[in-house]
């Protein structure tokens, strides 16, 4: 400790580190290690009233790491530069936010990704709901209480309205990710309890959750509403409508379709027709791609009207540079991708905004249509597939990771039944004929 020019107040040693040479900081860490190994706590003098603040510094090589026991817990491997357990929960959460901003930084836009920004905001909410305390207090009982806080459905801040089950699940997931990061980070002298993985994370159900349950448990558009959407839609609106119904695509899937993933007027090879148990011809068109969210491969046979919409999108895309198999197919009028973040780094809202304006145009003319979100189109397409087939085929249609919930090995021992998906899509196509008629003779020519 003689390497540090101390002024006699160990409690304020952390304020001295900014101007201390690195060699002296390493000497300080080494002295801390010797004292801890000798069973001597590194605290202020008996005449002082406070304990030493946590040492903050860069990580040291793995060879210099050692086991450092902490009160009430088994020993854990942490480097001498780890922040002591006296650091507060809120301080640790703020450093976790800094980690998220680095982890989800996108070099191409020099911004944090929308998902990264969402996680940072979730941590802000955790800070607002959880009182500050030392991370050294986070034993199994305390963590179970933090988890229980979200399981029990707290009220929204400054209200008496309980949070939704989905919101609580999201914040509980954010809390879990933070605790795992805290455990794995070598900057903090904290280890998660052994019982952490066995803690109950089931969200409590309230009476209000069951109030809306009825025969129609999922909001989907009716046939009459789909007819109105097609009638009032502009070419871009109609393309969104068709991709949602035909392929079950949400805004992320539509924004990421590549030109090379579209196969117009192209039959499968004889071998693939045998595997699919579906005979395709040169008049058939498909979208074949891997869903980015699940990493699952999927194929969708296209409605004739969807083909016309894609041809319109291709013509529009060719007007901008970079057209080719690896180019994004659907862009806005300026040729910008639909998932391009805003200048503030927020998620692109062009697709849902377009759809909301379409709904309002219909309502202005006094038509009866519910103000459902764009995401309900994907659910409507899935519901129609299930109606004309079954739950397994709907799962394959949606490119779910495990279409058969009771059998995790289905994909390991068999090919996905895309042929049956194509048959179901053809049945849905027949059902939607009244909707297609609403598009008129020139469905992809803009109306003034």
């Amino acid at each position: 400790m003689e390497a540090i020019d101390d002024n006699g107040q160990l409690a304020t040693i952390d304020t001295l580190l900014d101007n201390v040479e690195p060699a002296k900081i390493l000497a300080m860490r080494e002295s801390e290690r010797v004292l801890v190994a000798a069973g001597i706590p590194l605290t202020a003098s008996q005449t002082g009233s406070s304990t030493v603040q946590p040492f903050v510094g860069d990580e040291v090589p793995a060879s210099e790491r050692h086991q450092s026991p902490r009160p009430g817990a088994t020993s854990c491997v942490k480097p001498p530069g780890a922040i002591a357990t006296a650091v507060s929960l809120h301080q640790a959460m703020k450093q976790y936010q800094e980690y998220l901003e680095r982890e989800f930084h996108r070099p191409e836009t020099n911004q944090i990704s929308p998902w990264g920004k969402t996680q940072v905001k979730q941590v802000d909410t955790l800070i607002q709901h959880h009182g500050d305390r030392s991370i050294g207090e986070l034993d199994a009982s305390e963590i179970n209480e933090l988890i229980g806080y979200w399981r029990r459905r707290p009220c929204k801040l400054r209200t008496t309205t309980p949070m939704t089950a989905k919101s609580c699940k999201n914040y509980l997931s954010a809390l879990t990710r933070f605790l795992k990061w805290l455990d794995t980070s070598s900057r903090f002298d904290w280890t998660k309890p052994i019982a952490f993985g066995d803690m109950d994370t089931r969200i409590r159900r309230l009476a209000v959750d069951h109030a809306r349950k009825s025969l129609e448990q999922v909001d989907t558009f009716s046939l009459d509403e789909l007819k109105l959407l097609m009638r009032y839609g502009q070419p871009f609106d109609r393309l969104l409508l068709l991709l949602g119904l035909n392929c079950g695509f949400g805004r992320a899937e539509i924004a990421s379709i590549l030109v090379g993933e579209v196969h117009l007027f192209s039959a499968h090879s004889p071998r693939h027709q045998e595997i699919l148990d579906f005979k395709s011809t040169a008049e058939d068109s498909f979208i074949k791609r891997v869903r980015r969210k699940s990493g699952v491969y999927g194929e969708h046979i296209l409605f004739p009207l969807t083909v016309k919409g894609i041809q319109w999108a291709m013509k529009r895309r060719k007007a901008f540079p970079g057209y080719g198999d690896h180019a994004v197919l659907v862009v806005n009028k300026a040729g910008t991708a639909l998932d391009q973040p805003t200048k503030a780094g927020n998620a692109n809202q062009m697709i849902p905004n377009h759809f909301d304006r379409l709904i309002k145009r219909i309502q202005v003319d006094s038509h009866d249509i519910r103000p459902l979100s764009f995401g309900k189109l994907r659910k409507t397409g899935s519901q129609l597939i299930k109606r004309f087939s079954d739950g397994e085929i709907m799962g394959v249609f949606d490119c779910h990771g495990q279409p058969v919930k009771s059998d995790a090995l289905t994909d390991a021992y068999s090919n996905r039944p895309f042929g049956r998906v194509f048959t179901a899509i053809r049945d849905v196509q027949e059902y939607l004929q009244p909707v297609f008629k609403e598009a008129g003779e020139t469905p992809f020519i803009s109306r003034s």
Side-chain angles (χ1 to χ4, degrees):
M1 294 297 290
E2 293 178 358
I4 299 296
D5 297 327
D6 187 21
N7 62 2
Q9 296 181 1
L10 287 174
T12 61
I13 197 170
D14 63 310
T15 63
L16 304 174
L17 296 179
D18 290 341
N19 300 318
V20 176
E21 297 176 4
K24 292 184 177 182
I25 294 178
L26 289 176
M28 176 188 68
R29 292 174 179 166
E30 177 63 14
S31 62
E32 177 192 10
R33 184 187 68 79
V34 173
L35 288 171
V36 171
I40 302 174
L42 192 60
T43 60
S45 61
Q46 294 182 354
T47 59
S49 59
S50 60
T51 60
V52 175
Q53 296 297 314
F55 295 142
V56 182
D58 296 329
E59 291 188 23
V60 297
S63 60
E64 296 182 31
R65 299 184 183 182
H66 68 287
Q67 286 196 333
S68 171
R70 60 182 176 82
T74 57
S75 62
C76 59
V77 177
K78 292 287 180 177
I83 299 177
T85 53
V87 71
S88 76
L89 175 64
H90 288 183
Q91 288 173 334
M93 285 182 169
K94 290 183 182 298
Q95 292 199 37
Y96 176 57
Q97 289 179 311
E98 294 175 2
Y99 159 78
L100 291 173
E101 290 172 352
R102 294 192 304 271
E103 180 69 15
F104 291 95
H105 179 263
R106 296 174 63 172
E108 68 274 17
T109 61
N110 197 29
Q111 293 176 326
I112 183 175
S113 70
W115 171 229
K117 179 167 286 192
T118 296
Q119 291 192 71
V120 170
K121 290 180 179 179
Q122 287 176 340
V123 178
D124 281 332
T125 301
L126 294 180
I127 292 174
Q128 294 175 38
H129 280 263
H130 293 301
D132 205 5
R133 70 203 75 182
S134 166
I135 61 172
E137 300 176 33
L138 298 181
D139 56 14
S141 297
E142 282 295 314
I143 292 178
N144 198 41
E145 183 58 31
L146 292 179
I147 292 174
Y149 177 84
W150 297 106
R151 288 186 57 247
R152 294 188 290 271
R153 304 276 293 277
C155 293
K156 301 175 184 178
L157 292 177
R158 295 175 292 278
T159 73
T160 57
T161 304
M163 286 188 173
T164 64
K166 183 176 181 180
S167 292
C168 288
K169 181 179 179 180
N170 290 338
Y171 290 125
L172 182 52
S173 296
L175 176 64
T176 300
R177 288 192 295 269
F178 161 70
L179 292 172
K180 289 180 178 179
W181 171 84
L182 188 64
D183 173 64
T184 58
S185 175
S186 59
R187 300 187 65 190
F188 297 91
D189 186 16
W190 184 86
T191 302
K192 65 183 179 183
I194 296 176
F196 179 75
D198 296 325
M199 292 181 180
D200 188 1
T201 58
R202 292 173 297 179
I203 304 299
R204 175 183 296 174
R205 292 291 175 180
L206 304 177
V208 67
D209 298 331
H210 306 294
R212 290 185 67 252
K213 283 195 172 182
S214 61
L215 178 63
E216 189 175 1
Q217 297 187 29
V218 178
D219 287 329
T220 57
F221 288 99
S222 68
L223 188 65
D224 287 338
E225 289 173 326
L226 293 176
K227 289 166 63 176
L228 288 170
L229 291 170
M230 185 65 76
R231 183 190 312 166
Y232 278 79
Q234 294 291 334
F236 184 77
D237 303 319
R238 288 173 174 169
L239 178 63
L240 300 180
L241 176 63
L242 289 164
L243 289 173
L245 295 174
N246 193 162
C247 307
F249 287 171
R251 60 176 179 172
E253 288 79 22
I254 292 174
S256 60
I257 299 174
L258 302 180
V259 172
E261 294 173 334
V262 178
H263 302 265
L264 299 182
F265 310 112
S266 175
H268 287 87
S269 68
R271 172 58 180 160
H272 285 174
Q273 291 187 39
E274 179 184 353
I275 294 173
L276 294 169
D277 192 24
F278 184 89
K279 185 174 179 57
S280 58
T281 70
E283 296 180 356
D284 294 324
S285 300
F286 303 86
I287 290 181
K288 306 175 185 180
R289 68 196 305 263
V290 174
R291 188 184 178 201
R292 309 301 190 262
K293 180 178 180 179
S294 62
V296 172
Y297 177 77
E299 292 192 17
H300 299 86
I301 194 168
L302 301 179
F303 303 151
L305 193 57
T306 306
V307 173
K308 292 182 179 180
I310 287 177
Q311 289 174 322
W312 171 83
M314 284 183 169
K315 181 179 179 180
R316 188 188 200 192
R317 180 63 183 83
K318 288 178 181 178
F320 301 101
Y323 182 83
D325 285 349
H326 298 289
V328 173
L329 173 65
V330 187
V331 295
N332 62 18
K333 291 181 178 179
T336 304
L338 301 183
D339 57 359
Q340 178 73 31
T342 65
K343 292 182 179 179
N346 296 317
N348 192 306
Q349 297 294 321
M350 181 177 178
I351 290 178
N353 288 344
H354 254 271
F355 194 76
D356 290 344
R357 288 194 291 269
L358 173 58
I359 294 283
K360 289 177 181 178
R361 290 202 302 271
I362 297 172
Q363 292 175 331
V364 165
D365 281 358
S366 301
H367 289 292
D368 187 18
I369 186 170
R370 293 166 295 167
L372 301 180
S373 67
F374 177 75
K376 299 303 184 294
L377 273 179
R378 170 178 168 83
K379 292 185 177 181
T380 301
S382 299
Q383 180 63 35
L384 290 173
I385 291 294
K386 186 176 181 180
R387 175 177 175 178
F388 289 100
S389 56
D390 54 40
E392 177 190 355
I393 300 306
M394 183 189 75
V396 177
F397 172 82
D398 288 331
C399 295
H400 286 169
Q402 185 178 327
V404 183
K405 297 300 182 183
S406 60
D407 188 357
L409 298 177
T410 298
D411 286 343
Y413 291 95
S414 63
N415 295 310
R416 292 199 167 199
F418 291 116
R420 293 172 59 191
V421 174
F422 300 159
T423 299
I425 290 175
R426 287 299 193 215
D427 291 338
V428 172
Q429 175 183 320
E430 185 64 28
Y431 173 77
L432 292 177
Q433 287 302 317
V435 176
F436 301 149
K437 289 181 181 178
E438 295 291 339
E441 296 296 326
T442 55
F444 292 96
I445 295 180
S446 297
R447 302 187 303 271
S448 57

